[in-house]
Amino acid sequence: MRYLPHTPEEVEAMLSTVGAGAIEDLFAHIPNACRRTKPLALAEPLSEWELDRHMDGLSGTTAIQPEYMIFMGAGSYDHHIPEAIKQLLRRGEIFTAYTPYQPEVSQGTLQIIYEYQTLVTRLLGLGVANASMYDGASALAEALLMAVRVTRKKRVAVSRAIHPLYRRVVQTYLAPTGFEIVELPFGPDGRTDLKSLQGADELAAVALQSPNFFGCIEDLKAMDQAVHTDAKALMVVAFTEPLAYGLFKSPGALGADIACGEGQSLGLPRSFGGPGLGLFACRNQHVRSMPGRLVGQTVDGDGQRGFVLTLSTREQHIRREKATSNICTNQGLCATAAAMYMATLGGTGFRELARLNYDKAGYLKNELQKGGVQLPFAAPTFNEFVIRLDEGSKRTYRQLMAKKIIAGLPLDKFYSELEDHYLICVTETSPKADMDILVKEVTA
Amino acid sequence: MTSSTGTTGLIFNEPLLWEMGAKGRMGFSMPPRDVPKAPVDNQLAGDGPDFADLCEPDIVRHYTRLSQWNIGVDSSMYPLGSCTMKYNPKTNERQAALPGIATAHPFLPSDHCQGVLGLIYKLEQMLAEVTGLDAVTLQPAAGSQGELTGMLIFYAYHVSQGKRRTKVLIPDTAHGTNPASAALCGFRSVPVPSNDQGVLDAKIVSQLMDDETAGIMVTNPNTLGLFEDNIKAVAEAVHAKGGLVYCDGANFNAVMGVVDVARCGVDILHLNLHKTFSTPHGGGGPGAGPVCVTRDLAPFLPVPRAVKENTRYEWSENFPQSVGKLHAFYGNFGILVRAYSYILSLGNHLQQVSQYAVLNANYIKEGLKDIFHLPYDRPCMHECIFTDKLQQPYKITTLDIAKRLMDYGFHPPTIYFPLVVSGAIMIEPTESESKDTIDGFIAAMRQIAKEAAATPELLRLAPHFAKLKRLDETRAARKPCLCG
Amino acid sequence: MKEIDELKFPENVRYTEDHEWAVADGEFLKIGISDYAQDQLGDIVYVELPGAGSVLDQGEEFGTVESVKAVSELFMPVSGEVMELNPALEDSPELVNDDPYGAGWMMKVKASDSGQFDRLMDSQAYLAVLKG
């Protein structure tokens, strides 16, 4: 097998050195009661070419663009990924290296992650960012746990307009802790109703998502006031589409103490939902309570600039049960991809791409409205928005699917009161012609 | 090979991103605009992020130069104990990049994604077969998230039994993620000492085990590279008082095809796909930490679960006792694809992987035990541990040895872990290394031992050939500079 | 790390088994960690102390001291109320390494039971414990 170098002669020589007669002797000390009773019931190994055919066949059963028009986002977005990034990520020195425990021979990874951290602070408008969390959902859960540590209060408020699956992950993480989760409703305009915060006390954090699950831009200025002045809690702003901050103000600029969310839009393929990238940033004063790895700048013995993992005493391998989190392996290669993507776009490109996304969605919204389709939420949106079709729309939806058009994500699965509502997403990848076809089909 | 693997070479200085570029450059191919501009509320609009503007060649040169400052498995032997730095097959990358995999939207209706959904189902079955356990979740995004899942199952199971238990037994050799994961679920860690053979003693476990204790977190093989000989008796002691047995499977590369984890008495096991199953380490992830459980604990697994109805695969949420959700979607699917490809490529020959991994580690042990102190002189599994005890008279430490090894062209082994062994040097070659490479590693280590005695200063000032000398970590921690 | 004979243990100061020291400072007690402790820890990068006004018992954890690769808990030598913290340690934690009994003092405490201080070890008893 091409991954295994040893020849029978080499094995014999090594066994002789070790003083074993056969390779099975090396396992002789394993008690019989712990052993398998049958050999591994797996198929014969596939050659590289058989594997290719098998996987080609498997891959061919998925509905993908351009054969299908898929107008879905909901936490997983279709954006162009430059070929240069795909090739750079395949450099063996980048993707086959591990955590940079030995900084002298890992300066590549370390500078890449330091740059990533910096770009994330600039994107989110906060002082410090970590080297990544697993995804936007676990990042939100960790943000709430961090807020509890910082404030020593045991209740958190979470908006119902946050991605439903993020809220489920938050519930899972908080279930054994006894911390209470208070749900904030959303109002008729699609934004979180902050009125219910009045009189709320003993809150460690209030969490909103912006743009929220419905694509609506939340009123973070009002949130700042309600959370800091009234509730005296930490302001946590989550997101699933960070490209929005190329057009709209960043969470940090509007008062967020912690910003956390999904970075898949930044150069990662959708890949059936993973691997994703948990972006996480906070105000400088909270850095010692922040979970996750951190890369810092320093100098070497000759005074040369270099980078190292630092503030490690927060982490599990030192602090063990008192660590800020249990996280060890994070999403290093995904953070690398995101850094490359942000570098490739640059500030100018990031702003232009964000604007293009916004304009595409704006065009589609307008055309649908002209065609008589209802847009139930009045708040401004970025590249996603909700439409409401007539009763019995499930039939229309299925008919469109048969025509290879996936007209958004039906929302009744997550919000039972939102029957016949669909979450539509378009990005820079959607040509005008496709959008025109959707309008025609939906308004027919 | 008669000359050292390591040498000097020309690499390049490279500035930070914001130290380069020129405003207006673009590295991205902006699609043409085919829609009019839509009006924006100026109250909400911001300035956008302050990123440097670069062109495509800038980007390519930047990251190419940075990559040359790294050692990866593709460059050299990377014997990090307990990390299993085996070869990352390139065919796995091709499969993960296939359009029907890479561009699959997670919310596709199941009849539009049978292939990828089926892959999840089949990989779960493969891992059940390889471990001997009954049911699997692929949702956890890394080993420590797998541990969290295991602890959540501990919690949910005991609640379902009508009793909240507050403690978890954790061996003193455990990886730091173990107590950290237990703490996340509100459990207090109770340390369990290993005996002088380096393994757990069932009598000690039995004494510590009570009906306030949810169970034990073992690692098998353990972090000393030794098989926990008494695991069955330990499991019985825990089960006898109603507890569960969690096994950290980070070292599973030692036992594939040989050990049946369920027969050992383990109830819950996590695996690290980025260790045992060849998915790339990526400079610190992404990984994947599947969790395998016995039939009795299957109802607690996270949702949704892939189920098969006749010939079709579906997602099901119909598991009312599930602990919930760890990941927004289904886990690190792109990583699962790579592991799936690996298992298909090795098939029923996976046992050979473990055999060679164990052979390589024992061969290194034999090659070094006369000049480095071996705290446990017994057959090791896939990794062996030495200490710096014999080098202490020259005031040479494990750290010095590790730094000098870089000059010879090897990534150092894991050092100063586990904590119970002072000055630990944990060497895990994996099955990917040839006899030639391993002989070169042994020769380098033997040379370093000689240097320790004859020219210790050479080690204390090492590395000499790397891009940088030793870095000032104190300064980095006292005056943190975490972004530019 | 140094040999025990190379370390300093001033005689005017009392010691605990956890390597803290206490000395009378006006009506309060000044508290820090011994030369042995700072030597064992290596370069200290951060000291975490309780807020002024905290009331803690003898033996209770009052904070932590961090080096690059380790964290150690700090335990109250006596019961009392925290009156003052050393402001210099925020920016210069290395003072604990350089001058553990002087500029590296950590906090001042108003002891609630003067007998506790009297029963702490003197330098000879502490030295005996270290050599033990």
Side-chain angles (χ1 to χ4, degrees):
Chain A
M1 203 279 160
R2 67 192 188 282
Y3 307 152
L4 303 175
H6 293 342
T7 64
E9 295 76 26
E10 288 170 329
V11 171
E12 206 182 307
M14 293 173 81
L15 282 172
S16 170
T17 304
V18 166
I23 210 158
E24 291 79 12
D25 295 352
L26 297 172
F27 296 84
H29 62 283
I30 296 188
N32 277 329
C34 295
R35 286 174 179 265
R36 294 184 65 86
T37 53
K38 290 178 288 199
L40 283 170
L42 295 171
E44 283 296 306
L46 291 183
S47 70
E48 184 172 346
W49 329 115
E50 289 165 309
L51 179 67
D52 285 349
R53 284 188 70 160
H54 173 80
M55 296 303 287
D56 287 346
L58 191 155
S59 165
T61 66
T62 311
I64 57 170
Q65 281 140 304
E67 190 194 334
Y68 279 72
M69 287 186 212
I70 301 176
F71 294 98
M72 274 198 302
S76 181
Y77 302 95
D78 185 29
H79 290 291
H80 289 308
I81 302 172
E83 188 61 32
I85 292 180
K86 294 180 190 174
Q87 292 219 15
L88 287 168
L89 286 171
R90 284 188 169 191
R91 288 189 69 87
E93 302 94 323
I94 291 180
F95 90 93
T96 71
Y98 195 28
T99 307
Y101 294 124
Q102 299 291 351
E104 301 87 349
V105 291
S106 318
Q107 284 300 298
T109 298
L110 286 161
Q111 180 164 327
I112 288 173
I113 298 299
Y114 180 79
E115 290 175 348
Y116 161 83
Q117 285 170 195
T118 303
L119 296 174
V120 171
T121 61
R122 294 179 186 197
L123 179 65
L124 302 180
L126 286 164
V128 61
N130 70 17
S132 73
M133 315 232 60
Y134 307 127
D135 68 344
S138 61
L140 176 58
E142 296 260 22
L144 297 173
L145 292 175
M146 175 178 162
V148 165
R149 278 197 299 279
V150 169
T151 63
R152 298 180 207 245
K153 296 193 250 183
K154 298 203 186 331
R155 300 171 81 221
V156 297
V158 173
S159 164
R160 197 165 168 249
I162 290 181
H163 196 299
L165 300 180
Y166 284 31
R167 285 184 282 124
R168 285 202 66 187
V169 171
V170 166
Q171 273 165 353
T172 302
Y173 267 75
L174 265 57
T177 62
F179 303 144
E180 194 191 330
I181 305 174
V182 172
E183 191 170 82
L184 301 175
F186 59 87
D189 67 345
R191 290 166 147 172
T192 304
D193 181 349
L194 293 170
K195 281 201 301 294
S196 51
L197 274 182
Q198 276 168 16
D201 62 344
E202 282 311 296
L203 284 174
V206 177
L208 259 65
Q209 177 183 320
S210 185
N212 66 23
F213 186 66
F214 307 127
C216 299
I217 310 298
E218 293 277 7
D219 187 351
L220 295 182
K221 254 190 157 150
M223 185 190 181
D224 184 7
Q225 167 74 20
V227 174
H228 288 131
T229 312
D230 302 337
K232 299 213 190 337
L234 291 188
M235 179 169 159
V236 175
V237 176
F239 53 86
T240 56
E241 176 53 294
L243 192 60
Y245 302 134
L247 178 60
F248 295 107
K249 292 196 171 88
S250 69
L254 293 169
D257 297 297
I258 303 174
C260 54
E262 181 55 51
Q264 176 266 320
S265 283
L266 305 176
L268 298 173
R270 280 180 297 200
S271 198
F272 208 47
L277 174 62
L279 271 58
F280 195 107
C282 71
R283 288 186 192 269
N284 278 320
Q285 73 213 67
H286 299 309
V287 68
R288 283 175 188 282
S289 300
M290 191 169 73
R293 294 203 175 117
L294 283 168
V295 174
Q297 184 175 309
T298 185
V299 292
D300 80 341
D302 287 341
Q304 297 293 306
R305 177 174 72 189
F307 302 94
V308 288
L309 291 176
T310 192
L311 298 191
S312 314
T313 47
R314 297 162 305 119
E315 297 182 66
Q316 47 75 29
H317 57 293
I318 294 178
R319 212 58 170 253
R320 298 173 73 90
E321 59 269 3
K322 295 193 181 157
T324 50
S325 167
N326 69 344
I327 193 167
C328 184
T329 293
N330 45 17
Q331 303 289 104
L333 195 65
C334 302
T336 300
M340 290 177 176
Y341 183 82
M342 291 187 274
T344 300
L345 276 169
T348 303
F350 204 90
R351 283 189 286 281
E352 217 179 296
L353 189 68
R355 188 59 195 263
L356 184 56
N357 271 252
Y358 177 79
D359 294 339
K360 292 263 190 185
Y363 172 78
L364 182 57
K365 257 174 129 170
N366 210 26
E367 294 299 303
L368 286 167
Q369 241 177 347
K370 277 183 357 209
V373 174
Q374 273 185 61
L375 300 177
F377 298 136
T381 55
F382 179 60
N383 62 8
E384 291 188 273
F385 55 91
V386 178
I387 62 172
R388 184 184 184 163
L389 298 180
D390 293 332
E391 215 179 303
S393 64
K394 275 206 190 354
R395 224 175 111 240
T396 310
Y397 190 80
R398 274 198 302 273
Q399 281 168 346
L400 286 174
M401 204 173 301
K403 294 188 190 178
K404 302 197 174 177
I405 301 173
I406 298 185
L409 177 73
L411 289 183
D412 58 328
K413 175 176 161 181
F414 296 120
Y415 301 89
S416 55
E417 76 271 35
L418 297 183
E419 189 93 40
D420 300 310
H421 287 62
Y422 299 85
L423 180 62
I424 303 275
C425 177
V426 284
T427 69
E428 78 280 4
T429 64
S430 317
K432 176 170 170 296
D434 285 9
M435 293 193 278
D436 290 340
I437 290 173
L438 177 68
V439 173
K440 188 160 145 260
E441 294 288 342
V442 164
T443 57
Chain B
M1 202 157 133
T2 48
S3 57
S4 170
T5 302
T7 183
T8 54
L10 179 63
I11 55 171
F12 304 90
N13 272 321
E14 183 61 17
L16 292 160
L17 283 171
W18 46 93
E19 293 170 344
M20 6 178 325
K23 190 142 173 85
R25 279 191 199 164
M26 179 107 66
F28 186 81
S29 176
M30 194 61 67
R33 166 178 284 286
D34 56 4
V35 294
K37 286 206 163 173
V40 184
D41 180 345
N42 278 324
Q43 293 286 320
L44 300 175
D47 297 326
D50 177 18
F51 294 162
D53 286 350
L54 303 158
C55 63
E56 187 172 320
D58 286 336
I59 308 278
V60 172
R61 201 162 272 166
H62 182 76
Y63 288 100
T64 299
R65 287 179 172 180
L66 293 185
S67 77
Q68 293 171 331
W69 301 349
N70 270 5
I71 288 183
V73 174
D74 280 2
S75 333
S76 189
M77 179 171 161
Y78 209 121
L80 267 184
S82 269
C83 292
T84 312
M85 304 294 294
K86 66 171 70 185
Y87 173 68
N88 305 134
K90 306 313 175 219
T91 185
N92 297 353
E93 300 305 309
R94 176 217 190 254
Q95 316 311 345
L98 287 169
I101 288 174
T103 69
H105 192 294
F107 283 144
L108 284 171
S110 59
D111 53 355
H112 286 75
C113 59
Q114 282 291 295
V116 290
L117 186 36
L119 190 153
I120 287 183
Y121 183 87
K122 286 183 228 161
L123 180 59
E124 287 178 7
Q125 298 216 302
M126 287 161 156
L127 295 179
E129 171 60 23
V130 173
T131 59
L133 286 161
D134 303 310
V136 178
T137 175
L138 300 174
Q139 219 186 87
S144 57
Q145 210 185 36
E147 292 174 29
L148 175 61
T149 306
M151 290 300 99
L152 288 168
I153 295 177
F154 267 32
Y155 179 86
Y157 170 79
H158 286 294
V159 164
S160 80
Q161 298 288 305
K163 171 120 201 229
R164 254 218 79 164
R165 297 196 180 202
T166 54
K167 300 184 284 183
V168 170
L169 301 180
I170 299 190
D172 54 5
T173 50
H175 193 276
T177 51
N178 289 183
S181 303
L184 273 174
C185 287
F187 291 119
R188 186 163 63 82
S189 304
V190 175
V192 184
S194 307
N195 64 21
D196 53 15
Q197 296 295 301
V199 295
L200 292 173
D201 186 319
K203 261 209 297 289
I204 296 179
V205 171
S206 190
Q207 277 160 11
L208 291 169
M209 182 65 200
D210 61 21
D211 63 5
E212 295 291 318
T213 305
I216 190 168
M217 287 179 97
V218 302
T219 303
N220 193 19
N222 67 23
T223 59
L224 299 168
L226 306 171
F227 189 82
E228 284 285 352
D229 306 308
N230 308 316
I231 179 105
K232 253 192 108 72
V234 164
E236 274 153 31
V238 172
H239 288 148
K241 296 189 189 148
L244 295 175
V245 178
Y246 179 91
C247 183
D248 179 330
N251 292 324
F252 200 69
N253 204 46
V255 295
M256 288 192 287
V258 180
V259 167
D260 181 322
V261 178
R263 290 190 83 214
C264 292
V266 167
D267 301 298
I268 312 174
L269 167 83
H270 91 259
L271 295 166
N272 298 66
L273 298 187
H274 47 296
K275 297 186 179 186
T276 314
F277 295 96
S278 88
T279 76
H281 284 85
V291 168
C292 313
V293 299
T294 57
R295 189 157 292 125
D296 290 344
L297 294 178
F300 298 100
L301 287 174
V303 284
R305 293 183 56 192
V307 298
K308 197 167 179 188
E309 283 163 20
N310 296 318
T311 53
R312 304 201 57 75
Y313 300 103
E314 297 289 343
W315 285 120
S316 173
E317 299 258 347
N318 191 12
F319 297 93
Q321 287 187 296
S322 165
V323 295
K325 227 177 186 312
L326 280 307
H327 189 268
F329 300 110
Y330 317 120
N332 283 343
F333 183 74
I335 301 304
L336 305 179
V337 171
R338 290 166 167 92
Y340 177 75
S341 302
Y342 179 72
I343 296 175
L344 286 177
S345 302
L346 277 148
N348 52 24
H349 292 198
L350 270 178
Q351 182 169 1
Q352 222 175 25
V353 166
S354 292
Q355 286 177 331
Y356 289 164
V358 170
L359 175 63
N360 286 354
N362 277 283
Y363 183 74
I364 290 178
K365 183 164 73 69
E366 286 306 307
L368 294 177
K369 71 183 199 183
D370 60 322
I371 46 155
F372 285 100
H373 170 243
L374 190 66
Y376 302 96
D377 193 357
R378 45 167 284 189
C380 61
M381 296 228 73
H382 65 315
E383 59 195 10
C384 57
I385 292 195
F386 291 94
T387 79
D388 56 2
K389 189 163 170 198
L390 299 179
Q391 285 66 37
Q392 273 167 18
Y394 314 109
K395 298 235 190 293
I396 288 296
T397 64
T398 289
L399 186 72
D400 299 322
I401 296 165
K403 299 300 183 191
R404 181 59 178 154
L405 195 53
M406 293 183 221
D407 290 332
Y408 283 89
F410 296 98
H411 189 283
T414 297
I415 53 175
Y416 299 111
F417 180 79
L419 303 170
V420 296
V421 176
S422 171
I425 303 169
M426 184 167 27
I427 303 169
E428 181 185 355
T430 82
E431 72 284 2
S432 303
E433 302 305 332
S434 69
K435 182 173 178 297
D436 287 339
T437 303
I438 294 176
D439 285 338
F441 174 78
I442 292 171
M445 288 289 283
R446 295 189 73 85
Q447 185 62 21
I448 292 171
K450 285 206 188 101
E451 289 173 353
T455 52
E457 204 55 18
L458 195 61
L459 273 65
R460 276 188 224 111
L461 295 175
H464 303 275
F465 294 163
K467 178 167 194 292
L468 295 178
K469 297 279 180 295
R470 293 194 201 184
L471 287 131
D472 188 346
E473 299 193 15
T474 300
R475 173 179 164 148
R478 280 184 184 159
K479 306 254 177 280
C481 171
L482 306 170
C483 71
Chain C
M1 284 188 296
K2 295 190 183 145
E3 300 295 329
I4 293 183
D5 299 320
E6 298 171 280
L7 299 167
K8 295 187 177 44
F9 306 106
E11 287 179 8
N12 65 320
V13 152
R14 296 293 176 105
Y15 302 84
T16 71
E17 288 207 355
D18 298 308
H19 314 292
E20 282 87 14
W21 56 261
V23 75
D25 183 77
E27 47 167 337
F28 302 138
L29 287 178
K30 214 187 234 182
I31 287 170
I33 63 171
S34 72
D35 198 15
Y36 174 81
Q38 72 75 20
D39 183 64
Q40 287 288 304
L41 280 164
D43 288 337
I44 289 172
V45 304
Y46 188 70
V47 182
E48 191 177 357
L49 297 171
S54 307
V55 174
L56 297 156
D57 289 326
Q58 185 181 46
E60 205 177 332
E61 184 193 322
F62 70 82
T64 58
V65 59
E66 292 179 21
S67 63
V68 170
K69 302 251 187 269
V71 184
S72 277
E73 277 126 14
L74 300 165
F75 300 100
M76 293 288 279
V78 298
S79 307
E81 183 185 342
V82 176
M83 303 305 292
E84 204 185 315
L85 306 172
N86 183 349
L89 293 185
E90 175 90 39
D91 284 334
S92 306
E94 61 271 20
L95 290 172
V96 178
N97 292 120
D98 300 336
D99 191 8
Y101 304 104
W105 67 275
M106 291 185 177
M107 56 185 201
K108 293 185 189 170
V109 161
K110 185 168 162 190
S112 55
D113 174 0
S114 58
Q116 286 178 335
F117 175 73
D118 296 329
R119 287 188 293 271
L120 293 175
M121 289 186 282
D122 64 13
S123 61
Q124 294 214 330
Y126 181 54
L127 196 54
V129 163
L130 291 178
K131 287 191 169 162

